[in-house]
Amino acid sequence: MGIKMAAATVLHDVAAACLRQPLSLPRTTAKEPRFRPGLAFPHLYGVSQIKEQCSKWQWKGRYSINYFVSSSSSTNPALLLVHGFGASIPHWRRNIDTLAQDYTVYAIDLLGFGASDKPQGFSYSMEAWAELILDFLNEVVQKPTVLIGNSVGSLACVIAASESSQNLVRGIVLLNCAGGMNNKAIVDDWRIKLLLPLLWLVDFLLKQRRIATAVFEHAKQRDNLRNILLSVYGNKESVDDELVEIINGPANDEGALDAFVSIITGPPGPNPVQLMPRINLPVLVLWGDQDPFTPIDGPVGKYFSSLPSKSSNVSLYMLEGVGHCPHDDKPDLVHQKLLPWLAQVTAS
């Protein structure tokens, strides 16, 4: 088997970085949700409308950052939606309309993703994304904000909240929070220990430009993306052509390959286990029980499962039949838990 075939063999593990990391949640009894089922799949903010309403913000005077803001003028604290690896603002297509009824909703494309810049030679890191979030809150939102993130977006929100020295962050919502920028962060999981040689091989192969290009081109093909998404979504009907295009479109931008390689091969960054003790804000953790890339019994998951008994500010809910991206997988279940929590947090 040649080098090209070897790269193809590890493709699934590499591409799966778009939607992964371990965490776990216990079952918890929730109070009656402030939720109307008819709003599960609203359409006022479809993907085209979301894109049309996006604006640009210059970060550090150098990088163009794409962001969305709803037309709501609510006096409630704002919400900032932060996508996961490989995704972008339209991944919140099934949530913005519902949330915008009571809140001013912002969403951001992290540097390296979506319609934001993908600068050549940039060393991507969790810390850089957290800094981006805090600067965005300070310069653009300019009011107390609840951060809502998925996967690595969740971890970026945790880092931002732990470092915020101002009253910018009102609370955080973690949807399948990542343990690091890549799987090398979870070194105390026996499964990752077994895979470490493979992960090192992936790093080595991806640093070879020709191999990285071949892997990336293969990974972003629509049929391959669809298969990966089907493997991480509990509700297979949510994996539609629109979702595939949300992931595929930005992957064709100049700089997307460099971002992909930098994130997969770079340092994993801070671990949420080290950061959560610094956070006294209200925290809501929602976790899909069918996420193959974030096993419930992983070390980070066990840590989060123990938090409610130690920290009164943390609430956790397991979402049955849901995969790695709960907000898009089964948005109605997310809204049932999220809306009452938001109402309570923003009223205090």
Side-chain angles (χ1 to χ4, degrees), residues 52-88:
E52 289 171 4
Q53 198 162 318
C54 283
S55 302
K56 300 292 185 180
W57 164 64
Q58 288 296 117
W59 183 42
K60 295 181 177 293
R62 299 180 58 189
Y63 307 115
S64 177
I65 301 299
N66 188 54
Y67 74 94
F68 165 91
V69 58
S70 66
S71 54
S72 168
S73 58
S74 171
T75 58
N76 288 326
L79 309 180
L80 175 60
L81 312 179
V82 185
H83 62 80
F85 189 84
S88 57

Side-chain angles (χ1 to χ4, degrees), residues 257-268:
L257 170 60
D258 290 338
F260 175 82
V261 172
S262 175
I263 293 163
I264 299 299
T265 63

Side-chain angles (χ1 to χ4, degrees), residues 165-192:
S165 58
Q166 304 175 11
N167 296 322
L168 291 176
V169 181
R170 186 70 171 269
I172 55 176
V173 180
L174 311 177
L175 304 169
N176 289 49
C177 183
M181 191 169 71
N182 48 56
N183 272 333
K184 294 191 292 292
I186 318 301
V187 295
D188 51 350
D189 188 329
W190 65 269
R191 288 158 295 208
I192 299 301

Side-chain angles (χ1 to χ4, degrees), residues 218-237:
H218 191 81
K220 71 180 185 180
Q221 290 178 11
R222 286 179 173 82
D223 287 345
N224 292 329
L225 283 176
R226 185 182 301 275
N227 288 334
I228 292 170
L229 291 165
L230 285 169
S231 74
V232 298
Y233 269 60
N235 179 17
K236 309 306 179 186
E237 293 182 358

